[in-house]
Amino acid sequence: MAQDRDPSRLRSQRWFAAEGMRAFSHRQRMQQMGFRRDELVGRPVIGILNTWSDLSPCHAHLRERAEQVKRGIWRAGGAAVELPALSLGEVIVKPTTMLYRNMLAMEAEELLRSHPLDGAILMGGCDKTTPGLVMGALSMDIPVLFMPAGPMLNGYWRGEKVGAGTHTRRFWDELQSGGITQADWSEIESVSTRSPGTCNTMGTASTMTSIVEALGLTLPGAAAIPAMDAAHKRMASMCGERIVEMVWEDLKPTAIVTPQSVQNAIVALCALGGSTNAVIHLVAIAQRAGLSLDLDAFDRTAREVPVLANLMPAGNHLMEDLFFAGGVPAVLSRVREKLDLDCMTVSGKRLGETLEGARVFDDDVIRPLDRPVSGKPPLAILRGNLAPEGAVIKPSAASPKLLKHRGRAVVFDHAGDLYKRIEDPALPIDETSVLVLRNAGPIGGPGMPEWGNLPIPKRLLERGVRDMVRLSDARMSGTHFGTCVLHISPEAAVGGPLALVRDGDEIVLDLDGRRLDLLVGEEELARRRAEWKPPEPHYTRGYGAIFQSHIQQAHQGCDFDVLRPTGKATPEPDIY
Ligand code: FES
């Protein structure tokens, strides 16, 4: 790529290299922090957007890692500045981090716009931080490189591999049914998450960092490097070095996120057996790049690309195993024929070049195409009179016998109602019932929490029942499993058909037909619709009120309507 290293075209130099009182003040204030004038004038200024916090265990190492990024930036002739951004620790933040993904996206975009930055490293990884940072960066569209936080080390309990999140629900169900003791449960709490880093399963975090690698926004192989491996520090330094070159090359994210690279990301999602949450996030990411992405693209690809990565929750291994087996490039090399190898990546190389030399070192962790992890598709999009705009299911993490099922609904109006009544002995429920949770969507939740893996009543667990058909307008943690139909759109809180279901109604789930139907006549549904009243809004002020007014539905990626591109660029800040 032609290298025009004329500093006068750097946007940071409008702040630092100009004449006049304002530029004097900008340089003066940087010198106040100990930067020399010549460390800022004439060089690309690179922002490090750091989502570290003391309440984000997955990002606990990012303060230290920023120092390695800075080392690479200075070495390449840039100037490194670190800026804090919303951290969004998935397990800790309530009611759900999804309420705040768009807030982080707005913050990332405006941090990049309002500061004297020529490029940025996006440091994230815990679930919503990846899409939030990428969405914001796409809207600002200056050169960026995503640096994944990396997964935590493998977890073990008494010799058994334990996956973060995946085993929490599994052991909880065992505790309820008497399979393990309270002392066992406490021991698992302290031993199973061994280090900083994102969940070690193919949950939402590793799904998103891996598909962002497939999109071309990370250095090749970055997503699977464990957070605590020395290679992670070296990768951080390389990110710093590379972003300076990206600025001189003017390699922007909209040149990388294209219809072809988005399709590559969907292929990666399927081969990895990734989280259903990725459907929402990828739709939102594509929209920020000015692209439209239909849910059917996911279903089409999932019919052709089986799950190859044998990782929990669909398989047996963990992210550290994927790293040793060759990482994301090795997975992509197995589905090379389905990829557009001409797509540009942040490395400055085409995807095909980055895959040269990619090899699989463990055929059990990354299966060959003729021996996939599951005969079922990685995910599927259902439609029907219960989900006119679509719903998502992950058949590879579901019970095969439940994928064609007809049962009677047991309806919960909201999560509070569910947790109040699920153990009620008078609840008419058995293993053939269909559990329905509504008012758990983008507006109803609020924020579409990960409540879609509804708990199974203790009395059924004691009888050995471990899975049931469950439906909701909520999401499900990517670390979880079960026959859960998710993201039903439109949601109940805006009058979607889920709002009309009543106890005892028959519901049919038919994976092969990609259908989800409520067996109630049109006339009766019209009568119920006339009686329906929307729930009271959760918020009357603040961010929540903004969220309620602007959030779009699941099939639209849950972005704010005002954050979609308009075709007219948001102006650069004036400096007077
Ligand atoms: Fe952060 Fe799972 S809680 S990645």
Side-chain angles (χ1 to χ4, degrees), residues 56-59 88-92 125-127 152 164 197-201 204-206 479:
S56 182
C58 309
H59 295 180
L88 296 182
E90 180 64 27
V91 174
I92 307 281
C126 190
D127 295 23
M152 66 174 82
T198 50
C199 287
N200 48 19
T201 50
T204 304
S206 287
T479 63

Side-chain angles (χ1 to χ4, degrees), residues 254-325:
T254 49
I256 293 171
V257 179
T258 61
Q260 294 76 18
S261 68
V262 168
Q263 177 58 28
N264 287 346
I266 300 175
V267 171
L269 168 64
C270 293
L272 290 160
S275 161
T276 45
N277 284 323
V279 176
I280 294 177
H281 298 319
L282 204 48
V283 168
I285 286 171
Q287 278 174 9
R288 290 296 187 105
L291 311 170
S292 75
L293 179 57
D294 195 80
L295 293 188
D296 294 332
F298 292 88
D299 197 78
R300 266 196 311 276
T301 310
R303 288 172 191 264
E304 294 176 3
V305 180
V307 181
L308 300 180
N310 186 11
L311 303 179
M312 296 180 201
N316 304 322
H317 298 288
L318 295 169
M319 285 301 290
E320 204 179 326
D321 306 307
L322 180 69
F323 173 61
F324 290 123

Side-chain angles (χ1 to χ4, degrees), residues 74-221:
W74 288 111
R75 186 180 135 84
V81 291
E82 186 178 346
L83 297 91
L86 192 60
S87 75
L88 296 182
E90 180 64 27
V91 174
I92 307 281
V93 171
K94 305 297 176 198
T96 165
T97 52
M98 189 61 185
L99 189 65
Y100 299 108
R101 182 200 68 180
N102 295 348
M103 181 187 262
L104 174 59
M106 291 171 80
E107 186 188 18
E109 177 181 348
E110 301 306 332
L111 279 173
L112 299 180
R113 177 171 294 117
S114 59
H115 289 94
L117 301 175
D118 300 301
I121 297 293
L122 312 174
M123 296 177 86
C126 190
D127 295 23
K128 311 306 177 296
T129 57
T130 303
L133 290 167
V134 169
M135 288 159 67
L138 276 161
S139 292
M140 180 52 196
D141 206 24
I142 60 172
V144 294
L145 196 160
F146 186 82
M147 198 217 80
M152 66 174 82
L153 298 174
N154 279 3
Y156 295 90
W157 182 60
R158 297 182 184 169
E160 184 188 350
K161 249 179 218 175
V162 172
T166 300
H167 276 77
T168 306
R169 173 50 66 87
R170 198 169 279 167
F171 284 134
W172 174 251
D173 288 350
E174 288 304 317
L175 182 68
Q176 301 307 301
S177 61
I180 61 170
T181 65
Q182 190 64 46
D184 294 336
W185 177 243
S186 299
E187 189 181 316
I188 292 162
E189 177 183 308
S190 62
V191 303
S192 54
T193 41
R194 293 171 52 223
S195 78
T198 50
C199 287
N200 48 19
T201 50
M202 187 44 73
T204 304
S206 287
T207 301
M208 289 312 300
T209 55
S210 300
I211 68 174
V212 162
E213 180 171 331
L215 266 177
L217 291 172
T218 75
L219 291 182

Side-chain angles (χ1 to χ4, degrees), residues 16 95 298 303 339 350 367 375 396 487 529:
F16 294 129
F298 292 88
R303 288 172 191 264
L339 298 170
R350 308 269 162 194
R367 298 282 185 81
S396 58
H487 312 181
R529 190 175 300 283

